[in-house]
Amino acid sequence: MISHTLHTDPFAHIHIAFEPPSSLSSFPVDLLDHTSRNNGSDKTYSTRMLEAYRKSSGLSTQLPEDWASLVRILGDDTNTQRIANDLGVDSNEITEVEVRLAAYGASNWMSRHTDGPDKVFSAIYYFSPDWRESWGGDLRLYESADTVKPTCKAYPFQGTGVAFARSLDSWHEVAPITDLCPSYRTTVLVHAYRDVG
């Protein structure tokens, strides 16, 4: 069971609550490749990532079956259409869905940015048991590119998540993980895309 609670400040976003399957094995961090960008864009980052599913090409064969099953559920039309409807965006715009597994370790981050015009929405599901706020890694939502203080912070506690529609004003970032963090900030990301010609 996945529940959504809609918020409107600083922009429309959903707080997600869900019960991870009890049979789910440990997050498969070893399958994820490190990726980073330190310049050349307003979006810089350092993280580990795996494209687990793309609607047009199917499921990654690398995934353990329990994670593959979860990815199928989160990438399914039923879930993506519900997210779009709850955010007030047109689900008929969605032409592609991608599901990624991501893990942020010590000193990893993602800088403040808005997504590209081909993005309809992003949904983030957290799988970090026993996460501590002192480790950082919170998702921060801002009113603008220059706002100092975030309007909303969401720490990556297991069984929670956030979804938001892409807009010119949907500024967000992942705060840096502290150098001493002994764990990974583990997430499943669902991205819905539109054709932009």
Side-chain angles (χ1 to χ4, degrees):
M1 179 66 178
I2 301 175
S3 67
H4 292 172
T5 305
L6 181 64
H7 299 264
T8 57
D9 194 20
F11 48 81
H13 66 281
I14 292 168
H15 286 193
I16 299 169
F18 66 96
E19 186 67 38
S22 58
S23 60
L24 205 58
S25 60
S26 298
F27 196 90
V29 174
D30 57 324
L31 297 180
L32 282 57
D33 294 321
H34 181 261
T35 179
S36 64
R37 179 194 291 156
N38 293 312
N39 54 47
S41 170
D42 65 337
K43 178 180 177 181
T44 62
Y45 52 85
S46 177
T47 185
R48 296 171 67 103
M49 195 83 65
L50 171 72
E51 183 178 288
Y53 169 79
R54 186 168 281 270
K55 188 173 184 178
S56 60
S57 57
L59 195 67
S60 168
T61 57
Q62 295 178 278
L63 288 174
E65 182 49 43
D66 54 346
W67 285 95
S69 178
L70 180 68
V71 165
R72 284 188 202 97
I73 291 168
L74 297 180
D76 185 75
D77 287 347
T78 301
N79 191 48
T80 57
Q81 288 174 9
R82 179 184 176 203
I83 295 169
N85 292 339
D86 287 353
L87 287 170
V89 298
D90 185 359
S91 63
N92 292 319
E93 285 190 277
I94 299 172
T95 57
E96 181 65 280
V97 173
E98 173 193 60
V99 182
R100 290 185 179 191
L101 273 58
Y104 289 71
S107 302
N108 287 174
W109 81 95
M110 182 170 285
S111 66
R112 192 184 315 193
H113 66 285
T114 59
D115 295 325
D118 61 333
K119 185 81 67 69
V120 178
F121 70 72
S122 294
I124 306 127
Y125 300 83
Y126 296 122
F127 292 87
S128 305
D130 305 317
W131 190 265
R132 299 180 185 175
E133 290 185 10
S134 61
W135 293 341
D138 46 304
L139 175 70
R140 299 179 177 181
L141 307 184
Y142 293 90
E143 291 182 356
S144 72
D146 303 316
T147 306
V148 174
K149 186 178 179 181
T151 304
C152 176
K153 287 184 177 183
Y155 285 92
F157 302 129
Q158 182 165 271
T160 68
V162 178
F164 54 89
R166 184 270 172 190
S167 76
L168 294 173
D169 300 315
S170 58
W171 293 95
H172 60 283
E173 70 181 357
V174 177
I177 309 293
T178 63
D179 291 344
L180 300 178
C181 177
S183 188
Y184 281 99
R185 174 192 187 271
T186 50
T187 65
V188 176
L189 310 172
V190 179
H191 299 304
Y193 294 96
R194 62 170 63 88
D195 288 331
V196 292

